[in-house]
Amino acid sequence: MSSKKHNVQGFFEEKFMPIAAKIGNQKHLIALRDGIMFTMPLLIIGSLFLILAELPIDAYQSFMASVFGANWQAFEGVAVNGTIGIISLIAVFGIAYSLAGSYEVDGKPIDGIPAGVLSVAAFFIVNIVSVFGTGEEAVEAWKTSVFTSEYLFLAIVISLSVAEIYRFLLQKKFVITMPKSVPPTVSRSFTALVPGFVIIVFFMLVRLGFSFTAWSDLATFVQSVLKKPIELAGSSYIGTVFACLFEHTLWSFGIHGSSIMTAVMEPIWISNAGANLEAFKAGAQKLPNIVTYSFYENGVWMGGSGATLAVVVYMLVFAKSKLVKQIGRLAIVPGIFNINEPVVFGLPVVLNPFLMIPYILAPIAVTTVSYFGTLIGIFPYTTGVIIPWTTPYFISGYLMTGGNIMGVVAQVVLFAVAFIIWLPFIRIWDKKHYLSENQV
């Protein structure tokens, strides 16, 4: 049995971990993760204003109306449009900036700012200007939906493309080199001049080329051909469970699975959240997506990856061994804020074939119960608001469902599911250490 266990562990260490490590260090995935993070402060701030305006407590709504007037909620639209409403514009800069900056020329990191700026320019070039009104009152403008999460996949395609073209031209020395006496800010502008011209012309040709196709423009092509299949895969139960399994398998071997998984899935889940938010604001009876950013990062991450808040509560309240109880004391405060390194590395879970089982199985079970509970109408949909992943469990259930108490009830049920799965494993682990500590 021991030999078989070591053979399995050896296989993962020799075959699986090197591949996973390469995926974790892949420049484009890292750029996606870091670029999307540029949008997170705006998403959280915008969601906070939405919660303040839409909090479904009659006494609160009456008080605010009496103090600020009947139209006191007018700030909501302004704040949401200026934060959540521009995340594609922020992402198109952030991703190109991050990817370009990960490359080097002559042993020095590339300045990613010009790539980010050029990416924004390319984003505007490929998006068709719409005409609003007729005659002298006609106005040309970009639709505001262009800047929302609806066009996040277009932003990803453009930003990755711009960064790669910019990197290639710099590495091939297609630049204007200024004397060292020229100030860096001026020199930077001239360095970006030739690559910038090439990039702008390239995306103008892309726009022209797509005008002869059935899609008419790049944005329509990305939305209909690329975005929909990816969203369907990432929004489905199977896709979400696969992401969950992949993330927690990596964690079990000491690799930061969350950073890899979120780099791929966050754009999908943020886009889904945006669609839910629009439907929620419009008063829709049923929201379009079950799986959103908050569904996973505030629901499945219960105390962190592995749904470990349940096991921390057991360790703190019921554990008999000194070691396990001490880990519970150390882990409870971080666990409340969904940080679980004391559990993952303290029990430990990493490279522990026994505790890997509940660590992987519990979040999959939580995902399953949450998904189908929402599908059949027992649990409420997440409204699309983005709250920090460190928001304590149960509080997050109320906030992410638009102030629905059933969101809290759902999290109580999910906590019980995780607790039941962890229970036999942590009891055996606790008993093992208790007997070891009390040997004479």
Side-chain angles (χ1 to χ4, degrees):
M1 182 68 181
S2 177
S3 175
K4 185 177 181 181
K5 180 184 78 173
H6 285 296
N7 287 339
V8 173
Q9 183 171 323
F11 169 79
F12 273 95
E13 289 179 353
E14 293 177 16
K15 305 296 183 181
F16 180 75
M17 289 182 66
I19 296 172
K22 286 183 179 179
I23 294 173
N25 294 321
Q26 212 283 325
K27 289 181 182 294
H28 298 83
L29 290 180
I30 292 173
L32 272 177
R33 181 197 66 199
D34 294 346
I36 293 294
M37 286 304 296
F38 276 57
T39 70
M40 293 311 296
L42 293 180
L43 288 170
I44 293 170
I45 293 169
S47 295
L48 176 61
F49 278 106
L50 184 69
I51 291 169
L52 289 174
E54 302 291 344
L55 198 63
I57 300 175
D58 292 339
Y60 167 79
Q61 294 287 341
S62 299
F63 171 78
M64 296 297 284
S66 65
V67 174
F68 299 105
N71 296 323
W72 71 274
Q73 292 174 315
F75 73 88
E76 176 190 353
V78 176
V80 170
N81 288 338
T83 53
I84 297 172
I86 61 169
I87 66 166
S88 288
L89 198 58
I90 303 300
V92 80
F93 174 89
I95 296 169
Y97 167 83
S98 300
L99 181 56
S102 68
Y103 290 108
E104 294 183 349
V105 174
D106 298 330
K108 297 180 180 179
I110 292 175
D111 181 5
I113 293 177
V117 172
L118 291 167
S119 186
V120 173
F123 185 75
F124 277 100
I125 285 172
V126 299
N127 279 299
I128 305 299
V129 174
S130 300
V131 178
F132 300 90
T134 57
E136 295 182 357
E137 296 181 356
V139 175
E140 290 187 343
W142 284 278
K143 295 183 294 184
T144 55
S145 61
V146 166
F147 311 125
T148 66
S149 62
E150 182 181 345
Y151 282 73
L152 187 55
F153 281 88
L154 177 64
I156 291 171
V157 170
I158 291 173
S159 56
L160 294 178
S161 302
V162 168
E164 286 295 346
I165 296 171
Y166 187 76
R167 182 269 310 170
F168 175 81
L169 293 174
L170 259 61
Q171 290 180 341
K172 296 300 181 182
K173 307 300 182 184
F174 287 100
V175 297
I176 298 173
T177 304
M178 302 299 291
K180 292 183 179 180
S181 58
V182 175
T185 51
V186 177
S187 179
R188 178 191 299 167
S189 301
F190 278 90
T191 299
L193 195 58
V194 173
F197 180 80
V198 172
I199 288 168
I200 297 302
V201 170
F202 173 78
F203 279 96
M204 289 177 68
L205 292 174
V206 168
R207 174 175 173 149
L208 177 63
F210 270 96
S211 69
F212 296 105
T213 69
W215 299 288
S216 299
D217 57 76
L218 177 62
T220 303
F221 170 77
V222 170
Q223 297 296 95
S224 58
V225 177
L226 299 182
K227 178 185 174 184
K228 286 185 178 179
I230 294 172
E231 278 193 341
L232 285 173
S235 304
S236 67
Y237 168 71
I238 297 297
T240 308
V241 166
F242 178 80
C244 186
L245 175 64
F246 183 70
E247 173 194 5
H248 290 86
T249 301
L250 292 180
W251 265 120
S252 298
F253 288 90
I255 298 172
H256 201 301
S258 301
S259 64
I260 299 172
M261 185 274 300
T262 54
V264 177
M265 304 302 288
E266 266 190 4
I268 301 171
W269 294 340
I270 290 174
S271 181
N272 287 352
N276 277 21
L277 187 61
E278 289 299 318
F280 175 72
K281 287 164 59 181
Q285 293 296 313
K286 185 177 180 180
L287 303 182
N289 299 298
I290 294 176
V291 183
T292 64
Y293 176 93
S294 295
F295 172 91
Y296 193 89
E297 300 201 7
N298 298 108
V300 178
W301 282 353
M302 181 195 308
S305 58
T308 53
L309 184 61
V311 75
V312 170
V313 171
Y314 176 91
M315 291 190 293
L316 185 67
V317 178
F318 301 107
K320 294 180 179 179
S321 74
K322 293 178 182 178
L323 174 64
V324 174
K325 187 174 284 290
Q326 182 62 29
I327 294 172
R329 293 192 188 103
L330 293 173
I332 186 61
V333 174
I336 289 171
F337 297 97
N338 299 321
I339 298 167
N340 67 350
E341 275 73 7
V343 177
V344 174
F345 298 102
L347 272 177
V349 172
V350 171
L351 297 178
N352 184 334
F354 182 68
L355 292 183
M356 283 181 189
I357 298 171
Y359 183 80
I360 295 172
L361 186 59
I364 290 177
V366 167
T367 300
T368 301
V369 174
S370 182
Y371 184 92
F372 288 102
T374 305
L375 183 65
I376 64 178
I378 299 174
F379 304 148
Y381 281 69
T382 58
T383 59
V385 296
I386 304 293
I387 55 178
W389 61 268
T390 51
T391 303
Y393 211 64
F394 305 125
I395 295 176
S396 63
Y398 183 76
L399 295 177
M400 71 186 186
T401 56
N404 192 332
I405 194 63
M406 286 302 296
V408 182
V409 173
Q411 289 191 326
V412 171
V413 173
L414 299 177
F415 180 90
V417 169
F419 190 89
I420 291 169
I421 291 173
W422 269 103
L423 182 60
F425 295 91
I426 192 59
R427 286 181 68 180
I428 293 171
W429 194 250
D430 180 40
K431 183 178 179 180
K432 172 187 174 182
H433 284 283
Y434 178 76
L435 293 175
S436 178
E437 291 167 359
N438 288 276
Q439 280 184 344
V440 180

